[in-house]
Amino acid sequence: QKFLKPYEDDIDTIGIITSPWDKERARRKDLGHKDTCKTIAEDLAKFLGEEAFDKPKNVTIRNDKGESVPSSFGRLVHSKYSWCNPSTFCVYPALVSQGKKAFLVKSDKLYPFAHNLELEHLELVNEPFLNMEDVVTRNMDASKMIAYLREGI
């Protein structure tokens, strides 16, 4: 929220891109976590749509059968603003973004080259990121992860 709040008047819609939740399309390693992911994504959508900003936003979770990796990349490249967690999935669309601003959480482990880039639209941010190691060592369930996200956004 602190990153997007200054741009609030320029944001009408928010898309959340997630892995599929349906059994047929989900990655095998994600199947055991799909219900938790769905709970967290739905809460995040509600929070961003109704609570995080002064004006309500139209929030859509993008993971239905019509979504694909290329369509997700296209959404990220062409969105006005994008926020990317440390991942190899999001870094390249952020780098070539045609939008006004792409926020990319710093990760020297995943993309050490990014801090050397001078791209006007790219903002590298030092923000704590909730990774699986933290989730496991803190024994976090969905409600704890939601609280973490709501406090950190």
Side-chain angles (χ1 to χ4, degrees):
Q1 179 185 357
K2 63 185 167 185
F3 297 101
L4 296 178
K5 190 77 168 165
Y7 309 102
E8 176 175 4
D9 291 338
D10 199 27
I11 299 171
D12 297 317
T13 62
I14 298 172
I16 300 173
I17 298 171
T18 73
S19 296
W21 298 325
D22 60 277
K23 199 173 185 177
E24 300 77 36
R25 296 175 48 244
R27 297 181 302 185
R28 189 178 359 224
K29 69 180 187 175
D30 293 341
L31 285 174
H33 308 285
K34 68 181 178 62
D35 292 336
T36 300
C37 292
K38 184 176 181 182
T39 299
I40 293 167
E42 288 174 344
D43 183 82
L44 180 61
K46 182 176 191 248
F47 177 69
L48 291 173
E50 301 172 9
E51 302 170 38
F53 300 100
D54 295 334
K55 299 175 189 170
K57 305 297 177 191
N58 180 20
V59 180
T60 304
I61 297 173
R62 304 279 184 185
N63 70 354
D64 63 20
K65 291 185 190 300
E67 298 294 326
S68 65
V69 171
S71 68
S72 295
F73 278 16
R75 289 185 191 289
L76 290 166
V77 167
H78 295 290
S79 64
K80 282 186 195 176
Y81 304 96
S82 57
W83 173 261
C84 297
N85 62 316
S87 77
T88 55
F89 181 83
C90 199
V91 66
Y92 298 106
L95 294 178
V96 299
S97 173
Q98 301 297 301
K100 294 180 179 181
K101 184 71 76 173
F103 299 97
L104 184 62
V105 176
K106 275 188 174 179
S107 176
D108 290 336
K109 190 176 188 178
L110 291 176
Y111 32 85
F113 57 86
H115 70 276
N116 291 325
L117 300 174
E118 294 182 22
L119 301 171
E120 197 173 307
H121 71 278
L122 185 66
E123 184 172 332
L124 295 175
V125 293
N126 276 322
E127 280 297 309
F129 176 73
L130 187 60
N131 58 40
M132 280 309 295
E133 182 180 349
D134 291 336
V135 169
V136 171
T137 58
R138 295 180 187 182
N139 196 28
M140 297 178 84
D141 60 9
S143 63
K144 289 180 183 175
M145 287 185 263
I146 287 169
Y148 179 93
L149 288 171
R150 283 177 170 251
E151 290 170 17
I153 290 180

